[in-house]
Amino acid sequence: MAVVLILVLIVVGSVLFHVLSPWWWTPIASNWTYIDTTLVITFWITGIVFVAVVSFMAYCVFRFRHRPGNKAHYEPENRKLEVLLASGTAVGVAAMLAPGLIVWNQFISVPADAASVEVVSQQWLWSFRLPGADGKLGRAETRDVSPENPLGLDKNDASGLDDVIIEGGELHLPIGKPVHILLRSVDVLHDFYVPEFRAKMDMIPGMITYFWFTPTRTGTFDILCAELCGVGHPQMRGTVVVESDADYQTWLGQQQTFTQLTASAGPAN
């Protein structure tokens, strides 16, 4: 009976925690409504299965507990039950996966007016690059990375000379404007993750991955690396600051361009 009581308390406690506790994510990005909906669908399906399975376990422990004189009935297979369980599982898995396909399409369908921002990862540092006055990001190659050119920008590409470079600092974003996040790694596999934005994406050396979002609330949020990337992985943190457009423009005007950084570095020895 103690086992039955524990199982029942687990079911009741889990349901009450989900329904009564204010644990839901903060709405930071407006276009993540569809991700929340997908999570809700997943919680409903897995929650119903969880309650059904644990409740059935409690029933079986109580119903078929040991009693003197009772004899167990051995039934090696039950085709009807097997078909029912397999079909139910298939329907449940499909119901969880199908919305994900729709969400993924929205996740990578970048609006035409989204501003491009490049996030560059390396052991164990976050750097950022924003377009300059021309509104375009210049070319960059990992082979061009050096102490004087930490993001590997192509010095022969005029579009990159006015790019704004933030190495190891904060990334500021204006509120209410869609942002196209371009992700690049210069060494090993990393993962750009801001929990409040509902989004994360692997950063694979030799590739540029991406996603987009629209910040809808001002504040300061942590950037985490969600991929084990070496001994410094736990300390690989950054900051995203979402602020008004006026504050963003003030911050942007204080940052250095690629040309200015190159000039300040001086000629290589």
Side-chain angles (χ1 to χ4, degrees), residues 67-263:
R67 283 175 289 186
N70 278 14
K71 196 171 188 179
H73 170 67
Y74 175 65
E75 188 173 346
E77 64 179 57
N78 185 321
R79 185 173 296 276
K80 182 178 180 181
L81 180 60
E82 291 174 0
V83 170
L84 179 63
L85 290 176
S87 301
T89 301
V91 170
V93 171
M96 288 190 294
L97 293 181
L101 298 176
I102 299 173
V103 166
W104 178 253
N105 180 63
Q106 293 175 289
F107 194 62
I108 61 173
S109 298
V110 183
D113 60 340
S116 295
V117 173
E118 184 182 62
V119 179
V120 181
S121 61
Q122 62 190 68
Q123 293 176 313
W124 291 274
L125 177 74
W126 297 106
S127 299
F128 313 100
R129 182 162 64 108
L130 295 84
D134 62 0
K136 298 187 296 183
L137 289 174
R139 294 189 301 270
E141 292 286 348
T142 301
R143 66 173 66 93
D144 294 330
V145 171
S146 67
E148 297 77 26
N149 187 5
L151 302 190
L153 271 67
D154 184 349
K155 297 180 180 180
N156 297 318
D157 182 7
S159 298
L161 298 180
D162 64 345
D163 286 356
V164 176
I165 308 297
I166 301 101
E167 187 180 11
E170 294 180 340
L171 172 62
H172 288 230
L173 297 174
I175 190 172
K177 295 185 178 181
V179 182
H180 181 196
I181 298 293
L182 301 167
L183 303 170
R184 183 164 59 95
S185 172
V186 300
D187 43 35
V188 301
L189 189 67
H190 298 278
D191 190 296
F192 181 77
Y193 181 36
V194 179
E196 290 84 357
F197 290 152
R198 315 284 202 279
K200 65 178 181 178
M201 181 73 72
D202 279 349
M203 308 172 75
I204 304 168
M207 294 179 59
I208 296 178
T209 53
Y210 69 94
F211 63 89
W212 74 279
F213 62 90
T214 301
T216 59
R217 179 175 295 187
T218 58
T220 300
F221 311 102
D222 289 331
I223 301 173
L224 310 177
C225 180
E227 191 72 46
L228 184 60
C229 58
V231 295
H233 167 71
Q235 286 75 46
M236 188 172 174
R237 291 174 174 264
T239 304
V240 175
V241 178
V242 179
E243 57 194 359
S244 67
D245 188 62
D247 290 338
Y248 170 74
Q249 294 299 332
T250 299
W251 169 84
L252 188 62
Q254 297 170 350
Q255 308 309 309
Q256 287 189 307
T257 65
F258 177 59
T259 298
Q260 291 170 333
L261 284 173
T262 305

Side-chain angles (χ1 to χ4, degrees), residues 24 32-43 99 103:
W24 201 254
W32 294 151
T33 302
Y34 53 82
I35 291 182
D36 286 354
T37 300
T38 305
L39 292 174
V40 169
I41 292 173
T42 301
F43 273 122
V103 166

